[in-house]
Amino acid sequence: MSTVVIVGAQWGDEGKGKIVDFLTQKADVVARYQGGNNAGHTVVIGSEKYVLHLIPSGILHKGTRCIIGNGVVIDPRALLGEMNALEARGMNIENNLYISQNAHIIMPYHIAIELEQEKSKKIGTTGRGIGPSYTDKISRQGIRAIDLLRPDLFREKLHANLSACNYLLVNLYKAAPLDEEAIFTEYMDYAKKLEKYIADATLFINQEINAGKNILLEGAQGTLLDIDHGTYPYVTSSSTVSGGACTGLGIPPTKIDRILGIAKAYTTRVGEGPFPTELTGELGEAIRQRGGEFGATTGRPRRCGWLDIVALRYSSTINGFTGIGLTKMDILDGMEKINICVGYKYNGKIYDTFPTDLEMLIRCEPVLQEIDGWKESTSGIKDIRHLPKNALKYIKLIEDLISTKIQIISTGPKRDEIIVLEDQF
Ligand code: GDP
Ligand code: IMO
Ligand code: MG
């Protein structure tokens, strides 16, 4: 009976989906607490591959209750598409999905505005309307899931919001306006289909916690994409860190038992923004190809680089990790030498703390420590005793440098390609 938060420790795509799916074997409830369908969480079971965008990665286990929390922004079209696709593959969504009535809804005008904004202010977003939707939430004009069930109120809010957005689209961006009637009809159809899932998810999850159930809270994106603590403005628009799990679901911090940070054995980033350990040459390309580092949501090539200890230590500090799940060790197999970044050099000085000044982060150079790689394959290893000596050294070095224990090691994309050193439940 524990509540465990799963957090991306880097810039996203660390393998959260795989770890959540694995841990769901012992979980009763899995809940997403922020983000939207900008996320792409991959789960591989045997020869079957699933990419989850909004539905928690626990849905593939029969009978597990899945919650989309109030901190998530929901594009109903994307959600229904995902539900239909899963149902077509034999999953039972109907009795297992809860949508928080307070989750905000992504509207077509959010997507339209974001596409225009990206033309001048390049963040490299996923183009899913995430930022504009959270903007409406924070400025107290957003439309929430529960509003879909009250057509008159929905119409009123739609009219007010769309009038303002159309003004911007036409006058500022010289783009075509959107049609209110068409959006109203489309969203009322979504409302009918989603009504039975919309519930008081905060009440439900707290009841489950108090009943002594095992609960997994699934983060999306990663710590360095957090709106407050990430590499602003090159971030997403939500609280990706562990604290976001409390506000994004309505759970008291005192009810959180463990916080597992998920980190790749190297680093990747999609979209714009500083990335001190990025490898832009052949080596980066080799890691990209070996690791299949292409976005699960947009298909964009992910930027690849060495493991960044400075960033990881910062991430551990902010999240309070009780342990790390290290993924994609196998991608480093066969490398003669591996580097890890242990400091940043800026203006002739070396720093071992992560700068929150973006200018410094853009200009700093990584201080790299070279270590010997391992020739043997680690792919699919399930027992720590079978890992090559140098792979074990790599793990120990990371643990020492970030003062956090590695409790899970993932050695392949499949559910059972994993070494568990400490149980989370
Ligand atoms: P998420 O967004 O954090 O859930 O991660 P993604 O699904 O976007 O990206 C992780 C990718 O790595 C997916 O294609 C996974 O199937 C894959 N993956 C996860 N863990 C491992 C691992 O240990 N080894 C290998 N080779 N692939 C992994
Ligand atoms: P998962 O959950 C990696 C990045 C985008 C862009 C920035 C802002 O699969 O780890 P947004 O559309 O959120 O406004 O884009 O954030 N980004 C991600 N990068 N993994 C993700 O999710 C991401 N979700 C958003 O590439 O740089
Ligand atoms: Mg992903």
Side-chain angles (χ1 to χ4, degrees):
M1 35 171 298
S2 302
T3 299
V4 181
V5 192
I6 305 299
V7 185
Q10 296 156 322
W11 274 285
D13 303 325
E14 298 91 347
K16 299 176 291 293
K18 183 219 157 131
I19 301 294
V20 168
D21 169 70
F22 173 78
L23 294 175
T24 301
Q25 293 175 103
K26 288 191 189 163
D28 303 291
V29 178
V30 184
R32 269 280 301 272
Y33 59 83
Q34 44 69 232
N37 59 321
N38 48 351
H41 296 179
T42 314
V43 177
V44 181
I45 306 163
S47 58
E48 292 286 312
K49 178 174 158 178
Y50 302 84
V51 181
L52 285 319
H53 299 285
L54 272 164
I55 298 178
S57 305
I59 196 76
L60 304 172
H61 292 262
K62 225 173 149 197
T64 303
R65 310 289 184 85
C66 287
I67 299 176
I68 299 179
N70 57 273
V72 176
V73 285
I74 301 172
D75 181 334
R77 185 193 317 200
L79 177 58
L80 284 161
E82 200 170 323
M83 288 163 69
N84 291 339
L86 285 173
E87 268 165 348
R89 294 174 79 174
M91 304 304 147
N92 178 3
I93 306 286
E94 179 134 4
N95 301 317
N96 299 322
L97 185 67
Y98 298 71
I99 299 170
S100 167
Q101 59 192 21
N102 291 346
H104 280 250
I105 299 297
I106 297 181
M107 303 295 293
Y109 48 81
H110 293 137
I111 298 171
I113 293 279
E114 180 176 331
L115 292 179
E116 296 302 327
Q117 287 173 339
E118 273 288 285
K119 287 180 187 165
S120 55
K121 186 185 71 181
K122 263 210 146 313
I123 301 289
T125 71
T126 59
R128 301 298 192 263
I130 305 293
S133 170
Y134 278 114
T135 302
D136 275 1
K137 171 178 174 170
I138 298 299
S139 64
R140 296 163 296 183
Q141 60 197 17
I143 295 177
R144 306 206 281 187
I146 198 164
D147 300 332
L148 290 175
L149 310 182
R150 295 172 182 151
D152 291 346
L153 181 68
F154 176 79
R155 168 71 100 174
E156 212 177 284
K157 287 191 170 190
L158 170 64
H159 180 74
N161 290 352
L162 187 61
S163 303
C165 284
N166 273 344
Y167 184 85
L168 284 181
L169 285 172
V170 172
N171 296 299
L172 180 64
Y173 297 119
K174 313 293 176 214
L178 302 182
D179 183 62
E180 182 179 318
E181 201 54 43
I183 297 176
F184 181 76
T185 309
E186 182 186 341
Y187 274 65
M188 286 302 98
D189 181 49
Y190 297 149
K192 254 190 249 135
K193 293 177 175 144
L194 291 177
E195 184 169 8
K196 58 176 172 260
Y197 302 98
I198 297 173
D200 185 342
T202 298
L203 178 67
F204 173 66
I205 198 162
N206 278 291
Q207 282 170 342
E208 293 291 289
I209 291 172
N210 293 335
K213 302 283 179 61
N214 282 336
I215 317 277
L216 264 183
L217 311 181
E218 177 178 359
Q221 290 79 54
T223 300
L224 301 169
L225 289 171
D226 182 89
I227 186 73
D228 286 284
H229 305 289
T231 51
Y232 191 89
Y234 301 100
V235 292
T236 191
S237 300
S238 62
S239 297
T240 61
V241 295
S242 56
C246 295
T247 53
L249 285 158
I251 297 175
T254 45
K255 295 284 167 73
I256 305 288
D257 299 293
R258 285 171 175 264
I259 299 161
L260 186 71
I262 310 301
K264 262 179 211 177
Y266 48 98
T267 312
T268 63
R269 172 164 206 172
V270 205
E272 305 299 314
F275 180 1
T277 64
E278 182 169 15
L279 294 163
T280 49
E282 264 174 40
L283 196 49
E285 183 57 34
I287 295 175
R288 182 176 308 123
Q289 293 304 332
R290 272 197 68 129
E293 297 296 354
F294 296 90
T297 295
T298 58
R300 290 177 292 175
R302 293 174 182 153
R303 299 155 64 191
C304 298
W306 296 121
L307 185 67
D308 186 338
I309 292 292
V310 184
L312 203 52
R313 205 188 284 129
Y314 170 72
S315 183
S316 190
T317 302
I318 285 177
N319 288 294
F321 293 145
T322 52
I324 293 283
L326 189 72
T327 62
K328 304 193 99 163
M329 275 287 289
D330 54 301
I331 302 304
L332 300 180
D333 292 352
M335 288 187 120
E336 197 72 37
K337 299 283 177 193
I338 295 170
N339 281 273
I340 54 173
C341 169
V342 291
Y344 293 154
K345 194 169 175 190
Y346 179 74
N347 271 351
K349 263 181 79 179
I350 292 178
Y351 296 82
D352 64 358
T353 52
F354 194 76
T356 45
D357 172 1
L358 192 78
E359 288 308 306
M360 189 168 162
L361 197 60
I362 290 170
R363 290 191 178 81
C364 73
E365 274 175 47
V367 179
L368 297 174
Q369 180 177 334
E370 188 180 76
I371 57 165
D372 291 331
W374 52 92
K375 291 201 172 55
E376 306 88 327
S377 165
T378 63
S379 182
I381 287 182
K382 299 180 178 70
D383 185 333
I384 185 102
R385 290 167 301 185
H386 298 156
L387 281 182
K389 197 174 80 235
N390 284 350
L392 286 170
K393 273 194 188 166
Y394 188 56
I395 290 163
K396 177 81 172 57
L397 182 62
I398 298 169
E399 284 184 330
D400 289 347
L401 288 170
I402 62 170
S403 308
T404 310
K405 282 278 168 210
I406 292 176
Q407 298 178 332
I408 290 178
I409 302 161
S410 175
T411 55
K414 292 186 186 153
R415 187 183 272 175
D416 59 352
E417 293 177 320
I418 200 158
I419 300 168
V420 179
L421 300 170
E422 187 160 330
D423 284 331
Q424 301 301 307
F425 292 116

